[in-house]
Amino acid sequence: KSKSRRIKKKNFVKLNNKMMFQHVLEESIRSGKFSKIHLSTEDKKIALMLSKLKEKKLYNKVDISFLRPPHMAEDKYGMLDVLKYAVLKFKKKGEIYSGVCMIYATACLLKKGDIVKFVDCFKRLKKNKNVSLQTIVKYPAPIEWAVSVKKSKLLNKINKKAHKKTSDSFEYKYYDSGGLHAFTEYSLMKSKNCKAYGYKLPYFKSIDIDYPEDLAMVKKLM
């Protein structure tokens, strides 16, 4: 699911002669950590592409037995809404999973080893049914140093006092890297206040692709 219209049809971007989502699917399959992998899309072209890929043995685990509604591809629908929709569809088919992991189509820098370690970490946390785990990346500089830029290119220091301090004066801050996000069935479907945990990744393993320069960086790193 595209999280932004700043880069459209991100799933159709080619990286090393493969569609972006293929990299994610193949590493997820090779991790051996999932009993089922569902490809969530409203696009019939992607569904057709996957049906052709399923001729290869590697893709046998991938499910595309239903498409999501087209309106769920709009920006106003969050990723969790799409995830809940998929879980409910499987429930109606009599398939109930204790844990669910969402892997972004843009997480193409992750390898199977990264996915294995992430899932193993989540399994240890899953002893508490009200938890979630997501990949996070450290901000490259203190967020207290943030500036805004006016049309005249004049800089506006949001926190002027912070600019007088050195970087080691601040504790590290992190952001959701748009890589992996795992939930227990309870925390996803029933809880409003689950305990959210972070799984740290280096920047070069998890770049959230929203802008053209993000895509350019991913291509250089692959």
Side-chain angles (χ1 to χ4, degrees), residues 129-181:
K129 68 177 184 178
N130 194 26
V131 296
S132 69
L133 180 67
Q134 66 192 90
T135 51
I136 57 174
V137 170
K138 182 177 70 176
Y139 278 102
I143 59 174
E144 291 83 358
W145 285 355
V147 298
S148 60
V149 185
K150 299 180 180 180
K151 287 184 178 180
S152 63
K153 295 186 180 179
L154 185 67
L155 296 181
N156 174 40
K157 295 180 179 179
I158 297 170
N159 185 343
K160 292 182 180 179
K161 289 182 179 180
H163 285 265
K164 296 178 181 179
K165 298 179 181 179
T166 58
S167 60
D168 56 5
S169 302
F170 307 99
E171 66 174 7
Y172 293 141
K173 307 292 194 310
Y174 298 81
Y175 59 91
D176 178 3
S177 66
L180 304 166
H181 205 154

Side-chain angles (χ1 to χ4, degrees), residues 16-204:
N16 295 350
N17 298 318
K18 289 182 182 179
M19 295 302 170
M20 188 181 293
F21 75 88
Q22 284 180 257
H23 290 272
V24 180
L25 275 181
E26 290 179 6
E27 295 303 315
S28 302
I29 295 166
R30 292 188 177 111
S31 74
K33 288 294 181 178
F34 305 107
S35 56
K36 176 166 286 189
I37 298 172
H38 173 68
L39 178 65
S40 178
T41 182
E42 76 292 342
D43 198 312
K44 292 180 180 179
K45 288 182 181 179
I46 291 180
L48 179 61
M49 194 183 301
L50 180 63
S51 65
K52 291 180 180 179
L53 288 172
K54 282 177 72 70
E55 294 173 5
K56 300 178 182 179
K57 189 176 180 181
L58 177 65
Y59 287 84
N60 284 346
K61 262 191 175 182
V62 183
D63 170 80
I64 196 166
S65 56
F66 58 89
L67 298 178
R68 66 173 178 242
H71 67 267
M72 282 194 170
E74 297 175 6
D75 285 355
K76 65 180 180 180
Y77 278 88
M79 297 300 294
L80 295 188
D81 295 321
V82 177
L83 190 57
K84 288 177 182 179
Y85 170 80
V87 170
L88 287 172
K89 289 289 286 187
F90 280 114
K91 269 191 172 183
K92 287 180 180 178
K93 294 169 66 176
E95 298 181 38
I96 299 174
Y97 301 95
S98 61
V100 183
C101 182
M102 175 172 62
I103 306 177
Y104 288 81
T106 54
C108 46
L109 294 173
L110 294 178
K111 302 297 182 184
K112 69 174 184 179
D114 300 311
I115 297 172
V116 167
K117 290 176 183 177
F118 176 88
V119 174
D120 286 345
C121 179
F122 176 66
K123 283 183 176 179
R124 291 191 292 271
L125 292 172
K126 202 158 67 82
K127 294 174 183 178
N128 178 344
K129 68 177 184 178
N130 194 26
V131 296
S132 69
L133 180 67
Q134 66 192 90
T135 51
I136 57 174
V137 170
K138 182 177 70 176
Y139 278 102
I143 59 174
E144 291 83 358
W145 285 355
V147 298
S148 60
V149 185
K150 299 180 180 180
K151 287 184 178 180
S152 63
K153 295 186 180 179
L154 185 67
L155 296 181
N156 174 40
K157 295 180 179 179
I158 297 170
N159 185 343
K160 292 182 180 179
K161 289 182 179 180
H163 285 265
K164 296 178 181 179
K165 298 179 181 179
T166 58
S167 60
D168 56 5
S169 302
F170 307 99
E171 66 174 7
Y172 293 141
K173 307 292 194 310
Y174 298 81
Y175 59 91
D176 178 3
S177 66
L180 304 166
H181 205 154
F183 302 83
T184 60
E185 194 271 345
Y186 178 86
S187 67
L188 177 67
M189 305 302 293
K190 299 175 184 177
S191 175
K192 293 182 180 179
N193 297 297
C194 76
K195 292 181 179 179
Y197 290 85
Y199 184 87
K200 298 176 185 176
L201 283 175
Y203 175 74
F204 61 84

